[in-house]
Amino acid sequence: MENIGLVGLSRQVALQRELDVIANNLANLNTTGFKQDDVVFEEYLMPVARDDTFQRGADRRMSFVWDRATTTNLAQGGVTQTGNSLDAAINGRGLFAVQTPEGERYTRNGSFELNAQNQLVTKQGQIVLGEGGPIAFEANDVGITIGRDGSVASSGGSRGRLRVVDGNVPRAFEKAGDNLFRLRDGTQAVAVPNADVRQGALEASNVTPVLALSRMIEVTRSYQSLASSLERHDQMRRDAIRSLGNTST
């Protein structure tokens, strides 16, 4: 394959990857606590050839597009009042800790409920962790309250404090699927001092639909334009081969 085809293909692969990420962001526009993803691209220079017979200056490096990483935008989404006493939103830093079959995970989705054992759980049934473990209530408890500091109480008294954590280093968390995060290797979760928890509220997705849609259109047009350019180049090559063939005959 010619160099122009290889360079163009690398750009098409990168654009396709970005389109997939944008589509996933838009699909989670109404997912509580969802954090949008962004693709990081980087120029990759192909190492120079080593043949000593090349003329001086002819041995040039080619520049490819490298889909280097996908980062998560942890900016806060809008907070909406729901009036549900079991809903909670974190204002500022932090994530709720939950227990899953795969181990401890973290989320910004504070849409909670009670399971059959009267434990506080997520909508997916994951146990919400307090500073002392799961938060449980008695069967006759009423008037559940969640304080700004994450303390949970009911008519039966104190039931614990929600465990709100952050990473010990920037970018300590990575997505684990199902709107959950996990710790990256070599990092650890630490308690957030002065956590600000809002009862009866939920944090919306931080995806901005207008920006996401406009970027999707831009990426789609770039892909189509590149495909047309590659097709024109391929047609020129075929025409050149045909002309050379006619000349030789």
Side-chain angles (χ1 to χ4, degrees):
M1 183 179 291
E2 296 181 353
N3 290 341
I4 188 172
L6 292 171
V7 173
L9 180 60
S10 74
R11 178 59 176 158
Q12 282 186 310
V13 170
L15 289 172
Q16 181 62 55
R17 170 61 180 156
E18 185 175 9
L19 195 61
D20 291 342
V21 170
I22 296 172
N24 183 66
N25 289 338
L26 288 171
N28 287 280
L29 186 62
N30 296 316
T31 300
T32 303
F34 178 81
K35 302 301 177 185
Q36 77 170 28
D37 292 318
D38 298 300
V39 182
V40 178
F41 298 113
E42 187 173 294
E43 180 185 31
Y44 174 74
L45 294 176
M46 188 189 78
V48 297
R50 300 302 179 188
D51 196 323
D52 294 333
T53 62
F54 287 160
Q55 296 180 4
R56 185 179 300 275
D59 190 10
R60 299 177 180 176
R61 293 188 294 180
M62 290 189 298
S63 178
F64 293 89
V65 182
W66 178 23
D67 176 9
R68 188 172 187 274
T70 300
T71 63
T72 301
N73 181 354
L74 297 176
Q76 182 161 350
V79 176
T80 304
Q81 298 295 321
T82 65
N84 185 340
S85 62
L86 294 180
D87 287 342
I90 299 174
N91 183 41
R93 294 172 49 211
L95 298 94
F96 297 112
V98 298
Q99 188 64 45
T100 74
E102 292 75 31
E104 191 170 286
R105 295 292 184 263
Y106 311 92
T107 184
R108 292 281 293 195
N109 185 352
S111 179
F112 302 141
E113 59 186 25
L114 298 180
N115 63 10
Q117 292 75 41
N118 289 315
Q119 295 174 315
L120 195 64
V121 297
T122 66
K123 296 296 185 183
Q124 291 73 34
Q126 301 139 352
I127 295 177
V128 179
L129 296 176
E131 293 179 348
I135 296 177
F137 300 88
E138 297 295 335
N140 57 350
D141 277 356
V142 295
I144 296 175
T145 61
I146 301 175
R148 293 286 288 271
D149 62 351
S151 58
V152 181
S154 68
S155 59
S158 175
R159 297 304 181 190
R161 186 192 302 269
L162 291 170
R163 186 166 168 236
V164 180
V165 302
D166 199 0
N168 63 329
V169 295
R171 301 293 178 183
F173 297 101
E174 62 182 2
K175 287 191 173 180
D178 202 19
N179 207 19
L180 298 174
F181 291 85
R182 61 174 168 241
L183 286 166
R184 298 182 187 273
D185 293 339
T187 64
Q188 55 184 312
V190 295
V192 175
N194 304 316
D196 186 4
V197 180
R198 308 294 178 88
Q199 183 181 20
L202 291 175
E203 180 186 1
S205 165
N206 68 350
V207 178
T208 304
V210 174
L211 294 179
L213 282 171
S214 62
R215 181 57 185 164
M216 174 176 279
I217 294 172
E218 183 180 353
V219 170
T220 301
R221 288 177 176 173
S222 295
Y223 188 94
Q224 293 172 341
S225 176
L226 180 58
S228 297
S229 296
L230 292 175
E231 176 61 29
R232 288 195 298 270
H233 172 77
D234 190 53
Q235 184 61 50
M236 290 173 59
R237 182 176 59 84
R238 289 196 298 267
D239 291 343
I241 293 173
R242 188 180 301 108
S243 298
L244 288 173
N246 293 336
T247 301
S248 61
T249 57

